[in-house]
Amino acid sequence: MRLLLLSIIFILLVKSEYTDREVKSLIIDRDNILMINKSNTASLKRLIDQKRENNNLLRQREQRKVKQQGELIVTTESLHNLLYKDKKYQTRWPDDVISWLQQPY
């Protein structure tokens, strides 16, 4: 009877030791997973911030592009107007005016 009781106690002690080791191993695994999770969370936050910044830069670039296109249209129209005015004043001068301008001083 004593032998049976001692063997049961021994088995329970061995099982308890095994369970303690398993619990310690699981705690270590949990801690590693929590550290990885914190790292991934920080990376995710950084990526979200980069995405916001890139979206803002893209929006600014598009606004600048629209503004530049508007300025380009205005500049192009004013150049066309200037060229039209120049064409209007580029009439052929009479020969006597040209000869008078070519005379030496």
Side-chain angles (χ1 to χ4, degrees), residues 10-66:
F10 179 74
I11 291 174
L12 289 175
L13 284 174
V14 168
K15 188 167 184 167
S16 173
E17 180 68 27
Y18 174 76
T19 306
D20 287 345
R21 286 184 184 175
E22 189 174 340
V23 167
K24 287 179 184 177
S25 173
L26 290 174
I27 289 172
I28 291 172
D29 288 346
R30 183 203 62 193
D31 291 343
N32 289 337
I33 289 171
L34 288 175
M35 286 183 3
I36 291 171
N37 190 21
K38 285 181 184 178
S39 173
N40 288 341
T41 303
S43 296
L44 182 62
K45 286 180 182 179
R46 190 181 73 246
L47 288 173
I48 288 172
D49 291 341
Q50 285 179 351
K51 177 187 167 193
R52 285 184 188 142
E53 183 178 340
N54 288 341
N55 284 341
N56 288 337
L57 289 173
L58 180 63
R59 192 174 304 115
Q60 290 173 1
R61 182 185 292 166
E62 296 212 0
Q63 289 172 351
R64 215 177 314 127
K65 182 181 176 184
V66 167

Side-chain angles (χ1 to χ4, degrees), residues 1-6:
M1 182 82 174
R2 286 182 185 214
L3 185 60
L4 181 65
L5 187 62
L6 283 176

Side-chain angles (χ1 to χ4, degrees), residues 67-96:
K67 181 181 175 186
Q68 287 175 347
Q69 285 177 344
E71 290 173 357
L72 179 65
I73 289 171
V74 170
T75 305
T76 306
E77 288 176 358
S78 64
L79 284 175
H80 282 294
N81 290 337
L82 285 174
L83 287 174
Y84 174 74
K85 288 178 183 177
D86 283 349
K87 285 181 184 177
K88 189 165 60 172
Y89 291 112
Q90 289 181 358
T91 57
R92 178 146 170 84
W93 288 7
D95 289 336
D96 57 342

